[in-house]
Amino acid sequence: MGRVTSRRRLVRIVDGVRSEPMDTLAAEEPLETRVNGRSLVVTMRTPGDDFDLAAGFLVGEGVVRAAGEIAGIRYCAGATADGVNTYNVLDVVLAAGVAPPDPSLERNFYTTSSCGLCGKASLDAVRAVAAFSVRDDPLRLDPDVLSTLPATLRAAQRVFDRTGGLHAAALFSADGQLHCLREDVGRHNAVDKVVGWALRNGRVPLRGTVLMVSGRASFELVQKAVMAGIPALAAVSAPSSLAADLAADAGLTLVGFLRGNSMNVYTGAHRLTRPTRPTPTGLSA
């Protein structure tokens, strides 16, 4: 496997004083994912949990929906001219009867760690038809429990502690229990790794769960949550307008700016277990 981090000497200047310490950087390497031997996508990612990454990506694209639909995943040898296995190419073998990805899903060249949508054939292809409905999920969320999720996520970010350069995604139960956390240079990769872990452990659809992400809530992250049957997505930063639109359409609870005991609930507020007090109006100073 590739390294999750690397060491590099740098020049640091503080108050005019120069030093040359070593620093730890988050690793970023390309991963080519093939399906039944045919190249589908190359994405820049942090090495580690690559099988989960590939499986979660295929869930998000609507290719698979259950663990039994994947017959196997393996690294491919011969990634270099001398045949050395770089662990940067893997092949997913679909089970018999599972349709391969539609050609329109194939990325042009590669996706970067910050842009999971690059090369999509069209916006229509992005709005994939979900195999699971989250609208009728009976999940109920206590705001006090929600407020604990960012600290729990942050405390579990082991590689971030060493590099300061990784996104994180974590799967929680309604009572705040952490099921799975993954880190990656790409926030969409981190989510794919969580969803792939769940798929490979027979947990998809992920009813009754909350997906927490360390950055903003983009359209693609909402789509990935819906495709995996996750009824709630919480983020420490802002959602995009398109993310809120998709969340509303799908019946997903979308929470942004989740920091301390403060949060913005953009969609799905009916899942909150305790009524909140409205801001008093009409009061004179």
Side-chain angles (χ1 to χ4, degrees):
M1 284 294 298
R3 294 178 298 172
V4 177
T5 62
S6 65
R7 299 279 289 170
R8 179 175 292 272
R9 188 170 299 282
L10 56 84
V11 174
R12 177 176 295 158
I13 300 175
V14 179
D15 294 331
V17 178
R18 171 176 171 148
S19 61
E20 297 186 10
M22 295 294 293
D23 196 15
T24 301
L25 303 179
E28 183 175 27
E29 296 181 9
L31 177 69
E32 178 186 354
T33 299
R34 301 172 182 172
V35 176
N36 295 341
R38 179 174 179 175
S39 181
L40 177 65
V41 63
V42 178
T43 188
M44 301 303 296
R45 97 305 188 190
T46 298
D49 303 303
D50 289 336
F51 288 9
D52 289 345
L53 174 59
F57 177 82
L58 293 178
V59 171
E61 298 296 344
V63 177
V64 299
R65 64 186 70 178
E69 295 183 344
I70 295 178
I73 306 176
R74 64 181 181 86
Y75 286 107
C76 301
T80 64
D82 55 3
V84 173
N85 192 342
T86 62
Y87 297 98
N88 284 337
V89 181
L90 58 79
D91 188 31
V92 180
V93 179
L94 300 178
V98 178
D102 188 282
S104 67
L105 296 180
E106 294 181 11
R107 282 3 186 206
N108 294 329
F109 302 111
Y110 70 95
T111 68
T112 70
S113 57
S114 61
C115 178
L117 298 180
C118 300
K120 278 282 193 176
S122 67
L123 186 60
D124 289 340
V126 175
R127 290 184 178 274
V129 177
F132 314 109
S133 173
V134 300
R135 184 175 298 280
D136 62 350
D137 194 296
L139 173 71
R140 292 296 179 265
L141 298 169
D142 186 329
D144 286 344
V145 173
L146 278 175
S147 68
T148 68
L149 302 189
T152 302
L153 178 145
R154 176 65 185 85
Q157 287 185 256
R158 303 306 182 196
V159 182
F160 182 89
D161 284 340
R162 296 153 58 194
T163 66
L166 289 179
H167 293 282
L171 190 70
F172 290 91
S173 62
D175 61 1
Q177 179 183 353
L178 175 63
H179 291 316
C180 175
L181 180 140
R182 294 290 185 265
E183 296 178 277
D184 200 277
V185 288
R187 59 180 177 271
H188 64 284
N189 289 342
V191 170
D192 280 343
K193 288 179 178 181
V194 168
V195 172
W197 167 85
L199 181 87
R200 298 176 68 216
N201 284 277
R203 298 192 178 201
V204 173
L206 286 162
R207 294 178 64 82
T209 61
V210 181
L211 178 66
M212 177 78 208
V213 296
S214 61
R216 64 183 180 89
S218 65
F219 173 90
E220 188 182 30
L221 297 194
V222 171
Q223 177 190 301
K224 289 179 181 297
V226 172
M227 294 296 287
I230 300 172
L233 171 63
V236 299
S237 191
S240 68
S241 62
L242 200 57
D245 289 345
L246 179 59
D249 289 345
L252 176 138
T253 297
L254 179 61
V255 180
F257 293 106
L258 180 54
R259 303 168 184 175
N261 60 0
S262 175
M263 66 193 74
N264 293 347
V265 183
Y266 293 89
T267 64
H270 66 279
R271 288 195 171 98
L272 300 181
T273 58
R274 293 184 291 110
T276 54
R277 296 186 300 274
T279 302
T281 59
L283 299 180
S284 58

